[in-house]
Amino acid sequence: MNRLSIIFPNLVMANATLPPNLAKIVERFQRHTDPKKRYEQLLWYGKKLEPMMEEGKIAANKVQGCVSQVYITADLEDGKVMYQGDSDAQLVKGLVALLIQGLNGLTPTEIVELTPDFIEATGLQVSLTPSRANGFYNIFKMMQTKAIAFQLGQSYGEG
Amino acid sequence: MVALQIPSLAATVRQDFPILNQEINGHPLVYLDNAATSQKPRAVLEKLMHYYENDNANVHRGAHQLSVRATDAYEAVRNKVAKFINARSPREIVYTRNATEAINLVAYSWGMNNLKAGDEIITTVMEHHSNLVPWQMVAAKTGAVLKFVQLDEQESFDLEHFKTLLSEKTKLVTVVHISNTLGCVNPAEEIAQLAHQAGAKVLVDACQSAPHYPLDVQLIDCDWLVASGHKMCAPTGIGFLYGKEEILEAMPPFFGGGEMIAEVFFDHFTTGELPHKFEAGTPAIAEAIALGAAVDYLTDLGMENIHNYEVELTHYLWQGLGQIPQLRLYGPNPKHGDRAALASFNVAGLHASDVATMVDQDGIAIRSGHHCTQPLHRLFDASGSARASLYFYNTKEEIDLFLQSLQATIRFFSDDDFTV
């Protein structure tokens, strides 16, 4: 942790310190000055999201939140986390897609060390207050929880 | 002859609500989430401030001047609330945090002690979770059974079905007066009359009616009625339970503590008088006093005037929404009769949260979700809905802005050609 990050912890997530895919996504959003364009961008991510396996849509993979249905699954391939996800709300699906594109291929440790505040840099009005209705925050936390499970699996050996 | 333009109710009250004078995302705020909570007029905000600046003290326990003033102001509001709903006496008004607490008070104090296995509680499929879950808890504990009145073809309370559910087993009928999702106005008087004929008690959830309609508990003849202050221009944290005096007298206290006692010994206590026996602990004094300012404000405007203006808005809103072919509107159409100034809807192929998020970009605050009526949404096979709900400070111009934004939102999601 550098000195700046101790004084300004929120600056830790400046684009430069983000994983490359996530930095690219943030940068893409920053190109838009019109807020509606940012939502078009989000919709576009959602539309090109790979469909998730239907059998993954079970209670254990459901993200808690009272507004829309969101499912996230994770696999570990060669030490890298690969997520799948879906939502019945298109903008939320965009957030799921953005996170999947930004995080897939990272190690569990890299994912666990991330903080969700990079979303503020996108200019999307996404709250970071933990609450039952906070789609983005709860999706992000669910993804981290799945990464932690892999981390524990790696440290202690499978089974 | 030149016709005089009479300003709308909204035009005359608008400046009383400082919060409405702001921009959201570069657009003037259009606040259409009034069924969730209303905004507060300056008179209410000033009352809160005045109380803390001048009179703040604990109530019912000090001989000193501030405590006397605080107690007088706090108890004077009980009279105002009693008058507002035409209760016989302020002893019939119990302050609660909100309507949810008021229902729980009845559920625990009366329900747990008076219901037994096989007794039936009749409620409706349109209830807010607050008037469902407490009774599920009572049913689980006592063995009482819940029965549900279904919707008629207008998606309103099915009175005929209700009649078929009533029997000598019915001990309680607990119904919402106006549905926060459907907007239908349930025939509370007729429901109470039929329920009483069957020997049952009646609770009316007036959360969505108290802010919008003149209420008369003696006319309705319900045994209990509950409402939340924050939906009727008052602060959060204050609501009330109305109960017929003899029924409240017979009910044991719900919470124990200070304020609700007559005398306390090491091994027992004696209960205080009504209504204080239900008000354990230091209450929301400032909020109660500000509720009084809200009641004064509404009374000055006139509940009839508020209702009449909202009827006009309702027709305008429904007419506008009716022009959008992709919409599924829930609840009765105003052309069939009185209904609340709100509209719950879904746009074909769109999630309600997407709709609410996009109209918020235009400064328009609507609700999306299940509005705490999950079972009702399940009946409609919908995971949720969007809801625009109005109050007397809303204007037709605001409804126009909402309709334009909604149409732009539908275009936004149907347009696949955008480039990024």
Side-chain angles (χ1 to χ4, degrees):
Chain A
M1 197 182 264
N2 62 33
R3 240 178 60 195
L4 203 62
S5 74
I6 294 164
I7 305 168
F8 302 108
N10 287 339
L11 286 183
V12 177
M13 281 299 131
N15 297 6
T17 61
L18 284 176
N21 280 349
L22 209 49
K24 212 179 329 174
I25 293 167
V26 170
E27 192 260 326
R28 241 183 149 148
F29 277 99
Q30 285 173 335
R31 271 190 242 155
H32 301 296
T33 47
D34 176 3
K36 279 219 169 152
K37 285 277 171 202
R38 289 190 209 116
Y39 283 95
E40 279 188 10
Q41 175 85 55
L42 193 60
L43 213 50
W44 178 76
Y45 277 112
K47 284 188 174 167
K48 58 178 210 127
L49 175 67
E50 295 275 321
M52 93 178 269
M53 312 270 269
E54 279 304 311
E55 57 263 37
K57 294 184 178 177
I58 55 168
N61 296 325
K62 197 172 170 192
V63 180
Q64 291 304 310
C66 74
V67 179
S68 62
Q69 315 263 341
V70 185
Y71 294 96
I72 297 285
T73 60
D75 287 301
L76 197 62
E77 294 172 13
D78 301 329
K80 308 286 168 70
V81 183
M82 302 302 284
Y83 293 105
Q84 289 194 343
D86 198 6
S87 169
D88 55 349
Q90 295 180 57
L91 295 175
V92 179
K93 189 173 175 178
L95 291 172
V96 169
L98 172 164
L99 282 166
I100 289 176
Q101 190 166 330
L103 304 187
N104 268 11
L106 297 179
T107 65
T109 305
E110 286 171 317
I111 292 166
V112 171
E113 283 174 356
L114 275 174
T115 55
D117 41 5
F118 64 85
I119 200 70
E120 287 172 347
T122 62
L124 292 165
Q125 290 166 334
V126 172
S127 161
L128 289 174
T129 309
S131 93
R132 61 176 182 164
N134 192 332
F136 174 78
Y137 185 84
N138 293 342
I139 297 162
F140 181 79
K141 283 289 156 194
M142 168 82 130
M143 292 172 93
Q144 277 194 325
T145 306
K146 289 190 182 280
I148 290 169
F150 290 134
Q151 219 180 9
L152 292 174
Q154 282 176 336
S155 324
Y156 298 110
E158 300 296 330
Chain B
M1 197 176 136
V2 182
L4 280 174
Q5 184 77 34
I6 301 166
S8 73
L9 183 59
T12 59
V13 301
R14 196 79 188 174
Q15 72 279 6
D16 296 341
F17 292 82
I19 199 171
L20 298 176
N21 185 25
Q22 66 173 297
E23 291 198 342
I24 301 283
N25 297 319
H27 301 271
L29 165 66
V30 175
Y31 184 76
L32 303 181
D33 195 16
N34 293 287
T37 198
S38 72
Q39 297 304 345
K40 324 302 174 197
R42 197 173 271 113
V44 168
L45 305 176
E46 283 171 356
K47 187 63 93 178
L48 274 176
M49 189 72 121
H50 181 273
Y51 168 75
Y52 280 121
E53 283 184 347
N54 296 278
D55 306 327
N56 178 48
N58 214 329
V59 289
H60 301 138
R61 50 193 82 172
H64 61 81
Q65 270 308 304
L66 289 189
S67 179
V68 170
R69 258 192 256 152
T71 305
D72 285 353
Y74 177 78
E75 287 302 327
V77 173
R78 212 186 290 276
N79 284 310
K80 284 182 189 185
V81 172
K83 228 171 126 188
F84 187 67
I85 61 167
N86 197 29
R88 286 165 205 85
S89 141
R91 288 162 56 83
E92 296 182 318
I93 305 297
V94 177
Y95 290 129
T96 60
R97 273 190 301 145
N98 43 43
T100 299
E101 187 177 280
I103 293 170
N104 276 276
L105 195 164
V106 178
Y108 278 84
S109 172
W110 182 84
M112 293 291 192
N113 292 302
N114 287 278
L115 296 175
K116 56 182 192 312
D119 286 347
E120 291 180 358
I121 301 170
I122 298 181
T123 184
T124 78
V125 294
M126 66 179 91
E127 295 308 311
H128 190 284
H129 298 164
S130 294
N131 196 26
L132 176 56
V133 177
W135 301 113
Q136 289 174 340
M137 291 159 89
V138 168
K141 192 92 178 169
T142 62
V145 179
L146 286 166
K147 300 268 171 178
F148 295 91
V149 179
Q150 299 295 320
L151 304 182
D152 64 14
E153 63 278 14
Q154 307 297 337
E155 294 180 347
S156 300
F157 184 90
D158 188 338
L159 192 66
E160 293 311 311
H161 184 237
F162 171 58
K163 288 177 187 166
T164 68
L165 295 179
L166 279 167
S167 74
E168 71 282 359
K169 287 187 195 162
T170 312
K171 293 294 178 288
L172 173 71
V173 176
T174 181
V175 291
V176 69
H177 195 187
I178 295 181
S179 159
N180 71 326
T181 302
L182 302 170
C184 56
V185 183
N186 295 335
E189 280 173 62
E190 214 168 339
I191 292 168
Q193 200 187 1
L194 291 164
H196 286 150
Q197 280 167 12
K201 297 263 188 293
V202 178
L203 186 149
V204 173
D205 169 2
C207 278
Q208 300 294 340
S209 56
H212 305 278
Y213 282 70
L215 275 186
D216 184 336
V217 289
Q218 295 188 56
L219 191 71
I220 297 172
D221 193 30
C222 50
D223 298 293
W224 301 281
L225 178 138
V226 302
S228 282
H230 70 90
K231 293 188 203 290
M232 47 187 280
C233 294
T236 52
I238 187 76
F240 63 87
L241 164 69
Y242 155 82
K244 283 182 182 165
E245 191 165 337
E246 63 276 17
I247 293 172
L248 292 180
E249 282 292 3
M251 285 162 57
F254 173 34
F255 286 124
E259 199 91 0
M260 50 72 72
I261 45 87
E263 282 190 290
V264 179
F265 305 90
F266 283 119
D267 58 350
H268 74 285
F269 70 94
T270 56
T271 307
E273 293 279 298
L274 267 185
H276 302 112
K277 75 169 183 184
F278 292 116
E279 295 178 0
T282 295
I285 304 165
E287 289 80 356
I289 291 170
L291 169 65
V295 167
D296 284 344
Y297 183 85
L298 294 173
T299 306
D300 285 350
L301 292 179
M303 292 310 292
E304 280 292 348
N305 294 333
I306 288 172
H307 174 56
N308 291 340
Y309 176 62
E310 289 186 8
V311 167
E312 200 180 317
L313 290 182
T314 306
H315 282 276
Y316 194 75
L317 174 69
W318 273 71
Q319 203 170 18
L321 289 171
Q323 308 296 314
I324 305 174
Q326 300 93 326
L327 288 200
R328 161 70 162 99
L329 283 150
Y330 301 101
N333 191 303
K335 70 181 180 203
H336 298 303
D338 206 4
R339 61 153 292 133
L342 63 85
S344 300
F345 61 92
N346 270 308
V347 182
L350 284 191
H351 196 283
S353 83
D354 287 336
V355 174
T357 304
M358 290 315 294
V359 300
D360 180 56
Q361 292 303 303
D362 294 330
I364 295 158
I366 64 168
R367 175 80 190 266
S368 70
H370 49 63
H371 323 309
C372 293
T373 55
Q374 276 184 2
L376 178 64
H377 279 88
R378 246 174 242 128
L379 280 185
F380 291 134
D381 202 19
S383 64
S385 60
R387 181 186 67 193
S389 55
L390 312 176
Y391 209 5
F392 58 84
Y393 41 68
N394 289 123
T395 64
K396 287 184 181 170
E397 290 73 25
E398 287 182 311
I399 294 174
D400 288 338
L401 288 172
F402 162 59
L403 293 169
Q404 283 162 24
S405 177
L406 180 59
Q407 277 164 324
T409 296
I410 294 169
R411 283 196 300 275
F412 176 84
F413 283 105
S414 58
D415 183 5
D416 278 325
D417 303 331
F418 55 76
T419 50
V420 286

